[in-house]
Amino acid sequence: MDVSLLLLVSFLSVFHLSQADQPLEETIIVPRKFQPLGGWTELSPEREDIIEVAKKAVEEFNTKSKAKKYFKFLNIISARTQVTNIINYKIEATMGKTKCPKSENVDIESCVMAKKQLACKFDITLNPMNDQHVVEIKACKKTS
């Protein structure tokens, strides 16, 4: 009886081991492109938040410039951002001169466009704690 019990236990052990988990198939992990913390990231010029930041930069340009007429935001050429404890933007935007004089309080969106256009580079800093924008105009050049 001992021999048959021993054979039965051996058979069950072998059967149990053969039904155990099969070795896992290895999966190859491919690294994705990721943005390191504090690094600069290219942004889509069509993003609504980037357009709003660019419009704020053009407003600041109108405040600081010595031009007698207002300029109006046209489009974004390129945009990059860096997120740290504040949000930094580097935006290159095109703006067009309007026929509306700065001496009048007007809605710039309703102003008729003149021919002159500028491509300007702006550095904008946004502090999300107080929603304050600081705009620095880096350079502007005529485009048409």
Side-chain angles (χ1 to χ4, degrees):
M1 180 112 174
D2 280 334
V3 173
S4 61
L5 183 61
L6 183 63
L7 283 174
L8 179 63
V9 170
S10 298
F11 175 74
L12 289 175
S13 298
V14 170
F15 180 75
H16 180 70
L17 288 175
S18 68
Q19 298 300 317
D21 291 337
Q22 299 299 317
L24 293 176
E25 185 176 312
E26 290 186 27
T27 305
I28 298 174
I29 299 173
V30 179
R32 294 184 192 167
K33 183 178 178 184
F34 72 96
Q35 185 60 42
L37 294 175
W40 286 93
T41 305
E42 293 291 325
L43 299 173
S44 168
E46 289 88 30
R47 279 183 44 174
E48 219 30 65
D49 58 332
I50 301 305
I51 292 170
E52 289 305 312
V53 171
K55 286 181 178 180
K56 287 209 181 281
V58 173
E59 285 176 22
E60 189 70 20
F61 177 87
N62 282 325
T63 302
K64 291 181 178 178
S65 81
K66 294 179 183 175
K68 294 180 180 170
K69 309 273 178 150
Y70 284 111
F71 278 82
K72 183 161 79 171
F73 168 79
L74 297 177
N75 66 355
I76 295 174
I77 300 166
S78 67
R80 299 184 326 154
T81 188
Q82 177 191 44
V83 179
T84 58
N85 61 333
I86 56 175
I87 303 171
N88 296 304
Y89 298 95
K90 288 185 183 287
I91 296 177
E92 186 174 359
T94 304
M95 55 189 183
K97 190 172 190 176
T98 68
K99 294 186 178 184
C100 293
K102 285 185 177 179
S103 59
E104 297 176 15
N105 191 9
V106 295
D107 175 25
I108 296 174
E109 294 302 316
S110 64
C111 290
V112 176
M113 297 297 295
K115 291 183 179 182
K116 183 178 179 181
Q117 290 186 357
L118 296 177
C120 294
K121 294 181 181 181
F122 299 101
D123 285 354
I124 302 107
T125 303
L126 167 65
N127 185 341
M129 300 297 276
N130 58 15
D131 202 32
Q132 292 289 317
H133 289 82
V134 176
V135 177
E136 185 178 345
I137 304 159
K138 293 305 233 178
C140 292
K141 62 181 180 180
K142 287 185 182 180
T143 60
S144 64

